Amino acid sequence: MVPAHPFRASLLLVCLLLKAGCSQPENPAQHRQFFALGTLIDLTIYGSDTTTAGLAATELEQLFTRLHSDWHAWQPGTLQETNRRLAMLETFPADTDLLPLLRESNRLSRLSNGLFNPVIGELVALWGFHSDARPDGPPPGDDRIQALVSQAPSVTDITLQDGQLQNRNPAVRYDLGGVAKGFAVDRGIELLQTHGIDNAILNAGGDLRAIGRHGGRPWRIGIRDPRGTGVLASIELDGGESVFTSGDYERFFDHEGTRYHHIIDPRTGYPADAVTSVTVIHPDATTADVAATALFVAGPELWESIARQLGIRYVMLVDHAGTIHMNPAMQQRVRFDNAPAAIRLSKPL
Ligand code: ADP
Ligand code: MG
């Protein structure tokens, strides 16, 4: 899916931090904001002339608007049509624009041992997250959840060869909400680069990719505290890095004292409940987006092995006790605003 997120506080924090470091008048930052992919897209271009920046920003906005409708999980568009034909177990040519995203999603799903599973659309819909409105529960009946889990939809049910899609499992339904933003951000950065833009940050609701530098200094961004309204930590980025966070605070409903959120553990059919947020730094945004979702499901016990399989070098998880789980390289880079309750360092990744 491409969820209809409310405006995210995390985004605001990023903007504030950027503004704080943006005081060189000879090289002003230029901004463009618009809604797409269910969230606020915030583009900052640094050190380019206004004509180039304006043209690139307009093209980027058009690109994102098109991708928004193509990839939408529950409104008419390319993905919905693809899902309709997959459900009929037909063999058919994949849409050429969608093909690279499906290929990459399937590849990364396998590397995550299926914890990132882009074909659990039926489950996400059952939980009520295929809706523009804020979901409000109650949770679906366990019998309906188990019926879907037992059909075990997986990317291994799908063959993608010579541009043809073939599906063997009627329970397969693509929902690209865990990867679409990352993939779009990568395409957006490529577009900026074709316009000769070397310094920019493309922020999709708090998830972002940066290229170049912010004047004389690196880009500096904030990571939201999953249980507060403030910043948990900040990170300085090398040009060409992406930072993606998956959190249980993005889309959820509370029912009888329990929070049910939008990241589903494909093994159980229920929201993954071991952590409250996961932040990943990685060069490309697609992998970072997938990894944040996969490691959220993996939780404190499994995240190291899945991160290695996905080739991720920087990870930070926050659990329900506020304990930070991270690898030593990540610890070198995060600056906490307040000392965390506890830190559990992993072996180097
Ligand atoms: P956000 O979109 O809030 O940044 P994520 O990247 O973690 O968060 O994506 C969550 C979305 O991914 C859900 O709203 C749903 O559409 C989809 N999804 C939920 N669980 C999974 C999963 N286990 N694997 C892949 N996609 C998932
Ligand atoms: Mg994701």
Coordinates of all heavy atoms in Angstrom, one line a residue, residues 91-175:
T91 N -0.7 -16.1 -16.2 CA 0.6 -15.6 -16.5 C 0.4 -14.4 -17.4 O -0.4 -14.5 -18.4 CB 1.4 -16.7 -17.3 OG1 1.5 -17.8 -16.4 CG2 2.8 -16.2 -17.6
F92 N 1.0 -13.3 -17.1 CA 0.8 -12.1 -17.8 C 2.0 -11.2 -17.8 O 2.8 -11.3 -16.8 CB -0.5 -11.3 -17.3 CG -0.3 -10.9 -15.9 CD1 0.0 -9.6 -15.6 CD2 -0.6 -11.8 -14.8 CE1 0.1 -9.1 -14.2 CE2 -0.5 -11.4 -13.5 CZ -0.2 -10.1 -13.2
P93 N 2.2 -10.2 -18.7 CA 3.3 -9.3 -18.7 C 3.2 -8.3 -17.6 O 2.1 -7.7 -17.5 CB 3.3 -8.7 -20.1 CG 1.9 -8.9 -20.6 CD 1.3 -10.0 -19.9
A94 N 4.2 -8.2 -16.8 CA 4.2 -7.1 -15.8 C 4.3 -5.8 -16.4 O 4.9 -5.6 -17.4 CB 5.4 -7.3 -14.8
D95 N 3.6 -4.8 -15.8 CA 3.7 -3.4 -16.2 C 5.2 -3.0 -16.2 O 5.9 -3.3 -15.2 CB 2.9 -2.6 -15.3 CG 3.0 -1.1 -15.6 OD1 2.2 -0.6 -16.4 OD2 3.8 -0.4 -15.0
T96 N 5.6 -2.4 -17.3 CA 7.1 -2.1 -17.4 C 7.6 -1.1 -16.3 O 8.7 -1.2 -15.9 CB 7.5 -1.6 -18.8 OG1 6.5 -0.6 -19.1 CG2 7.5 -2.7 -19.8
D97 N 6.7 -0.2 -15.9 CA 7.2 0.7 -14.8 C 7.2 0.0 -13.5 O 8.1 0.3 -12.6 CB 6.2 1.9 -14.7 CG 6.5 2.9 -15.9 OD1 7.5 2.8 -16.5 OD2 5.5 3.7 -16.1
L98 N 6.3 -0.9 -13.3 CA 6.2 -1.6 -12.0 C 7.3 -2.7 -11.8 O 7.7 -3.0 -10.7 CB 4.8 -2.2 -11.9 CG 4.3 -2.7 -10.5 CD1 4.3 -1.6 -9.5 CD2 2.9 -3.3 -10.7
L99 N 7.7 -3.2 -13.0 CA 8.6 -4.4 -13.0 C 9.8 -4.2 -12.1 O 10.1 -5.1 -11.2 CB 9.0 -4.7 -14.4 CG 9.7 -6.0 -14.6 CD1 8.9 -7.2 -14.3 CD2 10.1 -6.1 -16.1
P100 N 10.6 -3.1 -12.2 CA 11.8 -3.0 -11.4 C 11.5 -3.0 -9.9 O 12.2 -3.6 -9.1 CB 12.4 -1.7 -11.8 CG 11.7 -1.3 -13.1 CD 10.4 -2.0 -13.1
L101 N 10.4 -2.4 -9.5 CA 10.0 -2.3 -8.1 C 9.6 -3.7 -7.6 O 10.0 -4.1 -6.5 CB 8.8 -1.3 -7.9 CG 8.2 -1.2 -6.5 CD1 9.2 -1.0 -5.4 CD2 7.2 -0.1 -6.5
L102 N 8.9 -4.5 -8.4 CA 8.5 -5.8 -8.0 C 9.7 -6.7 -7.9 O 9.9 -7.5 -6.9 CB 7.5 -6.4 -9.0 CG 6.1 -5.7 -9.1 CD1 5.2 -6.6 -10.0 CD2 5.5 -5.5 -7.8
R103 N 10.6 -6.6 -8.9 CA 11.8 -7.4 -8.9 C 12.7 -7.2 -7.6 O 13.1 -8.1 -6.9 CB 12.6 -7.1 -10.1 CG 13.7 -8.2 -10.4 CD 14.4 -7.9 -11.7 NE 13.7 -8.4 -12.9 CZ 13.5 -7.6 -14.0 NH1 13.9 -6.4 -14.0 NH2 12.8 -8.1 -15.0
E104 N 12.8 -5.9 -7.3 CA 13.6 -5.5 -6.1 C 13.0 -5.9 -4.8 O 13.6 -6.4 -3.9 CB 13.9 -4.0 -6.2 CG 15.0 -3.4 -5.3 CD 16.3 -4.0 -5.6 OE1 16.5 -4.8 -6.5 OE2 17.3 -3.7 -4.8
S105 N 11.6 -5.7 -4.8 CA 10.9 -6.1 -3.6 C 11.0 -7.6 -3.3 O 11.2 -8.1 -2.2 CB 9.4 -5.8 -3.7 OG 9.3 -4.4 -3.9
N106 N 10.9 -8.4 -4.4 CA 11.0 -9.9 -4.3 C 12.4 -10.3 -3.8 O 12.5 -11.1 -2.9 CB 10.6 -10.5 -5.6 CG 9.2 -10.4 -6.0 OD1 8.4 -9.7 -5.3 ND2 8.8 -11.0 -7.1
R107 N 13.4 -9.7 -4.4 CA 14.8 -10.0 -4.1 C 15.0 -9.7 -2.6 O 15.6 -10.6 -1.8 CB 15.7 -9.2 -5.0 CG 17.2 -9.5 -4.8 CD 18.1 -8.7 -5.7 NE 18.2 -7.3 -5.2 CZ 19.0 -6.9 -4.2 NH1 19.8 -7.7 -3.6 NH2 19.1 -5.6 -3.9
L108 N 14.6 -8.5 -2.2 CA 14.9 -8.1 -0.8 C 14.1 -8.9 0.2 O 14.5 -9.2 1.3 CB 14.7 -6.6 -0.6 CG 15.7 -5.7 -1.3 CD1 15.2 -4.3 -1.4 CD2 17.1 -5.8 -0.7
S109 N 12.9 -9.3 -0.2 CA 12.1 -10.2 0.7 C 12.7 -11.5 1.0 O 12.8 -12.0 2.1 CB 10.7 -10.4 0.0 OG 9.9 -11.2 0.9
R110 N 13.3 -12.1 -0.1 CA 14.0 -13.3 0.1 C 15.2 -13.2 1.1 O 15.4 -14.0 2.0 CB 14.6 -13.9 -1.2 CG 13.5 -14.5 -2.1 CD 14.1 -14.7 -3.5 NE 13.0 -15.1 -4.5 CZ 12.7 -16.3 -4.8 NH1 13.4 -17.3 -4.3 NH2 11.8 -16.5 -5.7
L111 N 16.0 -12.0 0.9 CA 17.1 -11.8 1.8 C 16.7 -11.5 3.2 O 17.5 -11.7 4.1 CB 17.9 -10.6 1.3 CG 18.7 -10.8 0.0 CD1 19.4 -9.5 -0.4 CD2 19.8 -11.9 0.2
S112 N 15.5 -11.1 3.4 CA 15.0 -10.9 4.8 C 14.3 -12.1 5.4 O 13.6 -12.0 6.4 CB 14.0 -9.7 4.8 OG 12.7 -10.1 4.4
N113 N 14.5 -13.3 4.7 CA 13.8 -14.5 5.2 C 12.3 -14.3 5.2 O 11.6 -14.9 6.0 CB 14.3 -15.0 6.5 CG 15.7 -15.5 6.5 OD1 16.4 -15.4 5.5 ND2 16.2 -16.0 7.6
G114 N 11.8 -13.4 4.4 CA 10.3 -13.2 4.3 C 9.7 -12.4 5.4 O 8.5 -12.2 5.5
L115 N 10.6 -11.8 6.3 CA 10.1 -10.9 7.3 C 9.6 -9.6 6.7 O 8.6 -9.0 7.2 CB 11.1 -10.6 8.4 CG 11.6 -11.8 9.1 CD1 12.6 -11.4 10.3 CD2 10.5 -12.7 9.7
F116 N 10.3 -9.1 5.7 CA 9.7 -8.1 4.8 C 9.0 -8.9 3.8 O 9.6 -9.6 3.0 CB 10.8 -7.2 4.1 CG 10.2 -6.4 3.0 CD1 9.5 -5.3 3.2 CD2 10.4 -6.8 1.7 CE1 9.0 -4.5 2.2 CE2 9.9 -6.1 0.6 CZ 9.1 -5.0 0.9
N117 N 7.7 -8.8 3.8 CA 6.9 -9.6 2.9 C 5.9 -8.7 2.1 O 4.9 -8.3 2.7 CB 6.1 -10.7 3.6 CG 5.4 -11.6 2.7 OD1 5.1 -11.3 1.5 ND2 5.1 -12.9 3.1
P118 N 6.2 -8.4 0.9 CA 5.4 -7.4 0.1 C 4.1 -8.0 -0.4 O 3.3 -7.3 -1.1 CB 6.3 -6.9 -1.0 CG 7.1 -8.1 -1.3 CD 7.3 -8.8 0.0
V119 N 3.8 -9.3 -0.2 CA 2.6 -9.9 -0.7 C 1.6 -10.3 0.4 O 0.7 -11.1 0.1 CB 2.9 -11.1 -1.7 CG1 3.6 -10.6 -2.9 CG2 3.6 -12.2 -1.0
I120 N 1.7 -9.6 1.5 CA 0.7 -9.9 2.6 C -0.4 -8.8 2.6 O -1.0 -8.4 3.6 CB 1.3 -10.0 4.0 CG1 2.1 -8.7 4.3 CG2 2.1 -11.2 4.1 CD1 2.5 -8.6 5.8
G121 N -0.7 -8.3 1.4 CA -1.8 -7.3 1.2 C -3.1 -7.7 1.8 O -3.8 -6.8 2.4
E122 N -3.5 -8.9 1.8 CA -4.7 -9.4 2.4 C -4.7 -9.2 3.9 O -5.7 -8.7 4.5 CB -5.0 -10.9 2.1 CG -5.2 -11.2 0.6 CD -6.6 -10.7 0.1 OE1 -7.4 -10.3 0.9 OE2 -6.8 -10.7 -1.1
L123 N -3.6 -9.5 4.5 CA -3.5 -9.3 6.0 C -3.6 -7.8 6.3 O -4.3 -7.4 7.3 CB -2.2 -9.8 6.5 CG -2.2 -11.3 7.0 CD1 -0.8 -11.7 7.3 CD2 -3.1 -11.4 8.3
V124 N -2.8 -7.0 5.6 CA -2.8 -5.5 5.9 C -4.2 -5.0 5.8 O -4.7 -4.2 6.6 CB -1.8 -4.8 5.0 CG1 -1.8 -3.3 5.4 CG2 -0.4 -5.4 5.2
A125 N -4.9 -5.4 4.7 CA -6.3 -5.0 4.5 C -7.2 -5.5 5.6 O -8.1 -4.7 6.2 CB -6.8 -5.5 3.2
L126 N -7.1 -6.7 6.0 CA -7.9 -7.3 7.1 C -7.7 -6.5 8.4 O -8.7 -6.3 9.1 CB -7.5 -8.8 7.4 CG -8.2 -9.5 8.4 CD1 -9.7 -9.7 8.0 CD2 -7.6 -10.9 8.7
W127 N -6.5 -6.0 8.6 CA -6.3 -5.2 9.9 C -6.8 -3.8 9.7 O -6.7 -3.0 10.6 CB -4.8 -5.2 10.2 CG -4.4 -6.4 11.0 CD1 -3.8 -7.5 10.5 CD2 -4.5 -6.6 12.4 NE1 -3.6 -8.4 11.5 CE2 -4.0 -7.9 12.7 CE3 -5.0 -5.8 13.4 CZ2 -4.0 -8.4 14.0 CZ3 -5.0 -6.3 14.7 CH2 -4.5 -7.6 15.0
G128 N -7.3 -3.4 8.5 CA -8.0 -2.1 8.4 C -7.1 -1.0 7.9 O -7.4 0.2 8.0
F129 N -5.8 -1.4 7.5 CA -4.9 -0.3 7.1 C -5.0 0.0 5.6 O -4.2 0.9 5.2 CB -3.5 -0.7 7.5 CG -3.3 -0.8 9.0 CD1 -3.1 -2.0 9.7 CD2 -3.5 0.3 9.8 CE1 -2.9 -2.1 11.0 CE2 -3.3 0.3 11.2 CZ -3.1 -0.9 11.8
H130 N -5.9 -0.6 4.9 CA -6.1 -0.1 3.5 C -7.2 0.9 3.5 O -8.3 0.6 3.0 CB -6.4 -1.3 2.6 CG -5.2 -2.0 2.2 ND1 -5.2 -3.1 1.3 CD2 -3.9 -1.8 2.5 CE1 -3.9 -3.5 1.2 NE2 -3.1 -2.8 1.9
S131 N -7.0 2.0 4.1 CA -8.0 3.0 4.2 C -7.4 4.4 4.4 O -6.3 4.5 5.0 CB -8.9 2.7 5.4 OG -9.4 3.9 5.9
D132 N -8.0 5.4 3.8 CA -7.5 6.8 4.0 C -7.8 7.3 5.4 O -7.1 8.1 5.9 CB -8.1 7.7 2.9 CG -7.5 7.4 1.5 OD1 -6.4 6.9 1.4 OD2 -8.3 7.6 0.6
A133 N -8.8 6.7 5.9 CA -9.2 7.2 7.3 C -8.3 6.5 8.3 O -7.6 5.5 8.0 CB -10.6 6.8 7.6
R134 N -8.2 7.1 9.5 CA -7.4 6.5 10.5 C -8.1 5.2 11.0 O -9.3 5.2 11.3 CB -7.4 7.5 11.7 CG -6.4 7.1 12.7 CD -6.6 8.0 14.0 NE -6.0 7.3 15.1 CZ -5.0 7.8 15.8 NH1 -4.5 9.0 15.5 NH2 -4.4 7.2 16.8
P135 N -7.5 4.1 11.0 CA -8.1 2.8 11.4 C -8.5 2.9 12.9 O -7.9 3.5 13.6 CB -7.1 1.7 11.1 CG -5.8 2.5 11.1 CD -6.0 3.9 10.7
D136 N -9.6 2.3 13.2 CA -10.1 2.4 14.6 C -10.4 1.1 15.3 O -11.0 1.1 16.3 CB -11.2 3.4 14.7 CG -12.4 3.0 13.8 OD1 -12.3 2.0 13.2 OD2 -13.4 3.8 13.8
G137 N -10.1 0.0 14.6 CA -10.4 -1.3 15.3 C -11.9 -1.6 15.3 O -12.7 -0.9 14.6
P138 N -12.4 -2.7 15.9 CA -11.5 -3.6 16.8 C -10.7 -4.5 15.9 O -10.9 -4.5 14.6 CB -12.6 -4.4 17.5 CG -13.8 -4.5 16.5 CD -13.8 -3.1 15.9
P139 N -9.7 -5.2 16.5 CA -8.9 -6.1 15.6 C -9.7 -7.2 15.0 O -10.8 -7.5 15.5 CB -7.9 -6.7 16.7 CG -8.4 -6.4 18.0 CD -9.3 -5.2 17.9
P140 N -9.3 -7.7 13.9 CA -10.0 -8.8 13.2 C -10.0 -10.0 14.1 O -9.2 -10.2 14.9 CB -9.3 -9.0 11.9 CG -7.9 -8.4 12.1 CD -8.0 -7.3 13.1
G141 N -11.0 -10.9 13.8 CA -11.1 -12.2 14.5 C -9.9 -13.1 14.2 O -9.3 -13.1 13.1
D142 N -9.4 -13.8 15.2 CA -8.2 -14.6 15.1 C -8.4 -15.7 14.0 O -7.5 -16.0 13.3 CB -7.9 -15.3 16.4 CG -6.6 -16.1 16.4 OD1 -5.6 -15.5 16.1 OD2 -6.6 -17.3 16.5
D143 N -9.7 -16.2 13.8 CA -9.9 -17.2 12.8 C -9.6 -16.7 11.4 O -9.0 -17.4 10.6 CB -11.3 -17.7 12.9 CG -12.3 -16.6 12.9 OD1 -12.0 -15.5 13.3 OD2 -13.5 -16.8 12.6
R144 N -9.9 -15.4 11.2 CA -9.7 -14.8 9.9 C -8.2 -14.6 9.7 O -7.7 -14.7 8.6 CB -10.5 -13.5 9.7 CG -12.0 -13.8 9.8 CD -12.8 -12.5 9.7 NE -12.7 -11.9 8.3 CZ -13.0 -10.7 8.0 NH1 -13.4 -9.8 8.9 NH2 -13.0 -10.3 6.8
I145 N -7.5 -14.2 10.7 CA -6.1 -14.0 10.7 C -5.4 -15.3 10.3 O -4.5 -15.4 9.4 CB -5.5 -13.4 12.0 CG1 -6.1 -12.0 12.2 CG2 -4.0 -13.4 12.0 CD1 -5.8 -11.4 13.5
Q146 N -5.7 -16.4 11.1 CA -5.1 -17.7 10.9 C -5.4 -18.2 9.5 O -4.5 -18.9 8.9 CB -5.5 -18.7 12.0 CG -5.2 -18.3 13.4 CD -3.7 -17.8 13.5 OE1 -2.8 -18.2 12.8 NE2 -3.5 -16.8 14.4
A147 N -6.6 -18.0 9.0 CA -6.9 -18.5 7.6 C -5.9 -17.9 6.6 O -5.5 -18.6 5.7 CB -8.3 -18.1 7.3
L148 N -5.6 -16.6 6.8 CA -4.6 -16.0 5.8 C -3.2 -16.5 6.1 O -2.5 -16.7 5.1 CB -4.7 -14.5 5.9 CG -5.9 -13.8 5.3 CD1 -5.9 -12.3 5.5 CD2 -6.0 -14.1 3.8
V149 N -2.8 -16.5 7.4 CA -1.4 -17.0 7.7 C -1.2 -18.4 7.2 O -0.1 -18.7 6.6 CB -1.2 -16.9 9.2 CG1 0.2 -17.5 9.6 CG2 -1.2 -15.4 9.7
S150 N -2.2 -19.2 7.3 CA -2.0 -20.6 6.9 C -1.8 -20.7 5.3 O -1.2 -21.7 4.8 CB -3.1 -21.5 7.3 OG -4.3 -21.1 6.7
Q151 N -2.3 -19.8 4.6 CA -2.1 -19.8 3.1 C -0.7 -19.3 2.8 O -0.3 -19.4 1.6 CB -3.1 -18.9 2.4 CG -4.5 -19.5 2.5 CD -5.5 -18.6 1.8 OE1 -5.6 -18.7 0.5 NE2 -6.3 -17.8 2.5
A152 N 0.0 -18.7 3.7 CA 1.5 -18.4 3.6 C 1.8 -17.7 2.3 O 2.7 -18.2 1.6 CB 2.3 -19.6 3.9
P153 N 1.2 -16.6 1.9 CA 1.6 -15.9 0.7 C 3.1 -15.5 0.8 O 3.5 -14.9 1.8 CB 0.7 -14.7 0.6 CG 0.2 -14.4 2.1 CD 0.2 -15.8 2.7
S154 N 3.8 -15.7 -0.3 CA 5.3 -15.4 -0.2 C 5.7 -15.1 -1.6 O 5.1 -15.5 -2.6 CB 6.0 -16.7 0.2 OG 7.4 -16.7 -0.2
V155 N 6.8 -14.3 -1.7 CA 7.3 -14.0 -3.0 C 7.9 -15.2 -3.8 O 8.0 -15.2 -5.0 CB 8.4 -12.9 -3.0 CG1 7.9 -11.6 -2.5 CG2 9.6 -13.3 -2.2
T156 N 8.1 -16.3 -3.0 CA 8.5 -17.5 -3.6 C 7.4 -18.2 -4.4 O 7.6 -19.1 -5.2 CB 9.1 -18.5 -2.6 OG1 8.1 -18.8 -1.6 CG2 10.3 -17.9 -1.9
D157 N 6.2 -17.7 -4.2 CA 5.0 -18.2 -5.0 C 5.0 -17.6 -6.4 O 4.2 -18.0 -7.3 CB 3.7 -17.9 -4.3 CG 3.6 -18.6 -3.0 OD1 3.9 -19.8 -2.9 OD2 3.1 -17.9 -2.0
I158 N 5.9 -16.6 -6.6 CA 5.8 -15.8 -7.8 C 7.0 -16.0 -8.7 O 8.2 -16.0 -8.2 CB 5.7 -14.3 -7.5 CG1 4.4 -14.0 -6.7 CG2 5.7 -13.4 -8.8 CD1 4.4 -12.7 -6.1
T159 N 6.8 -16.2 -10.0 CA 7.9 -16.3 -10.9 C 7.9 -15.0 -11.8 O 6.8 -14.6 -12.3 CB 7.8 -17.5 -11.8 OG1 7.6 -18.7 -11.0 CG2 9.1 -17.7 -12.6
L160 N 9.1 -14.4 -11.9 CA 9.2 -13.2 -12.7 C 10.3 -13.5 -13.7 O 11.4 -13.4 -13.4 CB 9.6 -12.0 -11.8 CG 8.8 -10.7 -11.8 CD1 9.3 -9.7 -10.8 CD2 8.8 -10.2 -13.2
Q161 N 9.9 -13.8 -14.9 CA 10.8 -14.1 -15.9 C 10.5 -13.5 -17.3 O 9.3 -13.6 -17.7 CB 10.9 -15.7 -16.1 CG 12.3 -16.2 -16.3 CD 12.3 -17.7 -16.4 OE1 11.3 -18.4 -16.2 NE2 13.5 -18.2 -16.6
D162 N 11.5 -12.9 -17.9 CA 11.3 -12.3 -19.2 C 10.1 -11.3 -19.1 O 9.3 -11.2 -20.1 CB 11.0 -13.3 -20.3 CG 12.2 -14.3 -20.4 OD1 13.3 -13.9 -20.2 OD2 11.9 -15.5 -20.7
G163 N 10.0 -10.6 -18.0 CA 8.9 -9.6 -17.9 C 7.5 -10.2 -17.6 O 6.5 -9.5 -17.5
Q164 N 7.5 -11.6 -17.5 CA 6.2 -12.2 -17.3 C 6.0 -12.6 -15.8 O 7.0 -13.0 -15.2 CB 6.1 -13.5 -18.1 CG 6.2 -13.4 -19.6 CD 4.8 -12.9 -20.2 OE1 3.8 -13.4 -19.9 NE2 4.9 -11.9 -21.1
L165 N 4.8 -12.3 -15.3 CA 4.5 -12.6 -13.9 C 3.7 -13.9 -13.8 O 2.7 -14.0 -14.6 CB 3.7 -11.5 -13.3 CG 4.4 -10.4 -12.6 CD1 3.4 -9.3 -12.2 CD2 5.1 -10.8 -11.3
Q166 N 4.1 -14.8 -12.9 CA 3.2 -16.0 -12.7 C 3.1 -16.3 -11.3 O 4.1 -16.2 -10.5 CB 3.9 -17.2 -13.5 CG 2.9 -18.4 -13.6 CD 3.7 -19.6 -14.0 OE1 4.8 -19.6 -14.3 NE2 2.9 -20.7 -14.0
N167 N 1.9 -16.5 -10.8 CA 1.7 -16.7 -9.4 C 1.0 -18.0 -9.1 O 0.1 -18.4 -9.9 CB 0.8 -15.5 -8.9 CG 0.2 -15.7 -7.5 OD1 0.9 -16.4 -6.7 ND2 -0.9 -15.2 -7.2
R168 N 1.5 -18.7 -8.1 CA 0.9 -20.0 -7.8 C 0.0 -20.0 -6.5 O -0.5 -21.1 -6.2 CB 2.0 -21.0 -7.5 CG 2.8 -21.4 -8.8 CD 4.0 -22.2 -8.5 NE 5.1 -21.4 -7.8 CZ 5.9 -20.6 -8.5 NH1 5.9 -20.5 -9.8 NH2 6.8 -19.9 -7.9
N169 N -0.1 -18.9 -5.9 CA -0.8 -18.9 -4.6 C -1.9 -17.8 -4.6 O -1.6 -16.6 -4.6 CB 0.2 -18.6 -3.4 CG -0.4 -18.6 -2.1 OD1 -1.7 -18.6 -1.9 ND2 0.4 -18.8 -1.0
P170 N -3.2 -18.2 -4.6 CA -4.2 -17.2 -4.6 C -4.2 -16.2 -3.5 O -4.9 -15.1 -3.6 CB -5.5 -18.0 -4.7 CG -5.1 -19.4 -4.2 CD -3.7 -19.5 -4.5
A171 N -3.5 -16.4 -2.4 CA -3.5 -15.5 -1.3 C -2.5 -14.4 -1.5 O -2.4 -13.4 -0.7 CB -3.1 -16.3 0.0
V172 N -1.7 -14.4 -2.6 CA -0.7 -13.4 -2.8 C -1.4 -12.1 -3.2 O -2.3 -12.1 -4.1 CB 0.2 -13.8 -4.0 CG1 0.9 -12.7 -4.7 CG2 1.3 -14.8 -3.4
R173 N -1.1 -11.0 -2.6 CA -1.6 -9.7 -3.0 C -0.5 -8.6 -2.6 O -0.2 -8.5 -1.4 CB -2.9 -9.4 -2.3 CG -3.4 -8.0 -2.5 CD -4.8 -7.9 -2.0 NE -5.2 -6.5 -1.7 CZ -6.3 -6.2 -1.1 NH1 -7.1 -7.1 -0.6 NH2 -6.7 -4.9 -0.9
Y174 N 0.0 -8.0 -3.6 CA 1.1 -7.0 -3.3 C 0.6 -5.8 -2.5 O -0.5 -5.2 -2.8 CB 1.7 -6.5 -4.6 CG 2.8 -7.3 -5.1 CD1 2.6 -8.2 -6.2 CD2 4.1 -7.3 -4.5 CE1 3.7 -9.0 -6.7 CE2 5.1 -8.1 -5.0 CZ 4.9 -8.9 -6.1 OH 6.0 -9.7 -6.5
D175 N 1.3 -5.4 -1.5 CA 1.2 -4.2 -0.8 C 2.6 -3.6 -0.6 O 3.4 -4.2 0.1 CB 0.5 -4.4 0.6 CG 0.5 -3.2 1.5 OD1 1.4 -2.3 1.3 OD2 -0.3 -3.2 2.4

